[in-house]
Amino acid sequence: MLPRLRLLVAGLALAALARAAAPTGEPVKLGFFMSVTGRDASFGEAALRGSRLAVDDLNAAGGIFGRPVELIVEDNRSLPGESATAAKKLIARDKVIALIGECASARTLEAAPIAQAAGIPLVTPASTHPKVTAVGDCIFRVCFADPFQGAVLATYAWRNLGLRRAALLIDSTAPYSVGLADVFAKTFTALGGAIVASQKYSGDAKDFRAQLTAIRSTQADTLFLPGYYVAAGLVAQQARELGLRSTLLGGDGFEAPQLIEIGGTALEGTVYSTHYSAESKAPASRRFVTAYQARYGSVPVGLAALSYDSVQVIADAARRAGSTERGALKKALAATRDFPGITGRTTLDEHRDAIKDAAIMMVRGGQCVLVDSIRP
Ligand code: PHE
């Protein structure tokens, strides 16, 4: 194309964008409930950042049916009970068309029956427990589920890391932790590995020394901790203090910018699985990483990317339905196929679960580095 002509085409495209960029009228409300403060605040922050970026992108492109999209945020402070209250408020008071939340399976499981009873679609960016979407036909997830994640981790530990003796350290108060440990143990033993210890802790624990001392005597070569980043960081430190050399292994709950802040050099060699890596070369992901960094000054974690995709998947369903009415929206969401997002293509299966690759990360030199990507 001639340079002049190319300029003209670019100019016209920009003008079209500018015309699209003025949504008016009654806002379309999306309800967002998450751990913005409290123990898991790093999750809430990442999810909120990703969702806000998506809402701004939607509004810059004309909103939904020319109406502005508004994100209504409820903070559950990482506390039990609060997510149910948040879902009720968002549905009854704010009249949201859909809910986005939570990250932790335990908290999504609190809100899901409320969304289901009201017939309001709920899209969880990152809750991986199988029971979450089993609550009913209004509950969707844009991430993989733990039967996949647990099998990926056990297989990776056995095949790629050559690990043979696993100790489990389980948060007995979190369905995510209990469920992921179970799948891991089944796959690991089926491959020929041994589960040499199974210790428990409860969500807010800060001192893991008793459990770690018991594990030390079993000569486990890996310590599998299906927990969240605060526990992961503390366990890493205390394990090293006690002279435990086992490879620390975890799931998506490890991924947070605060992980390294809490665990420091004790985390070196730790391996965990997650949903996405900012190192992805896909053009959509690159654009997202650039925009995210420009706005927030940090690299997005998987949860931020999944939260961005959650908002966009809802907008896409509304567009296909030609409506924001709950029944039509639910039907269109269930028919989501190959939706191109930041975390790859989202296709929802008959259980309303997404089928996605798992990224394997390793802590090296104080950085979380992508070492592998596993297809379903
Ligand atoms: N998958 C975890 C759960 O279901 C939550 C989580 C997802 C945490 C992604 C961090 C990042 O409880």
Side-chain angles (χ1 to χ4, degrees), residues 43 103-105 126-129 176 228 252-253 275:
F43 293 158
C103 163
S105 289
S127 288
T128 46
H129 195 287
Y176 160 73
Y228 299 150
D252 54 348
H275 304 268

Side-chain angles (χ1 to χ4, degrees), residues 26-115:
E26 269 290 289
V28 173
K29 293 177 181 171
L30 298 179
F32 174 97
F33 66 103
M34 203 64 75
S35 51
V36 180
T37 60
R39 189 196 67 183
D40 302 332
S42 190
F43 293 158
E45 178 179 69
L48 192 53
R49 288 176 167 187
S51 302
R52 286 217 162 112
L53 213 50
V55 167
D56 289 354
D57 282 355
L58 276 176
N59 284 332
I64 295 181
F65 306 130
R67 289 161 58 195
V69 181
E70 189 185 334
L71 194 71
I72 305 194
V73 177
E74 281 290 322
D75 176 16
N76 58 35
R77 295 175 291 153
S78 309
L79 297 174
E82 297 291 319
S83 295
T85 315
K88 281 181 200 153
K89 263 196 222 164
L90 290 165
I91 293 169
R93 179 196 64 192
D94 301 310
K95 313 260 183 295
V96 299
I97 64 154
L99 292 168
I100 297 163
E102 225 269 0
C103 163
S105 289
R107 295 192 285 264
T108 307
L109 281 166
E110 281 179 21
I114 288 150

Side-chain angles (χ1 to χ4, degrees), residues 2 20 47 66 97 104-105 126 131 158 166 198 254 264 267 283 290 323 355 357:
L2 290 169
I97 64 154
S105 289
K131 278 196 181 149
W158 172 266
S198 182
F254 273 29
L267 286 160
T290 305
S323 164
I355 306 133
D357 297 356

Side-chain angles (χ1 to χ4, degrees), residues 237-249:
Q237 284 211 324
Q238 291 167 21
R240 299 312 171 226
E241 274 165 33
L242 290 167
L244 207 83
R245 303 245 162 273
S246 333
T247 300
L248 183 60
L249 192 64

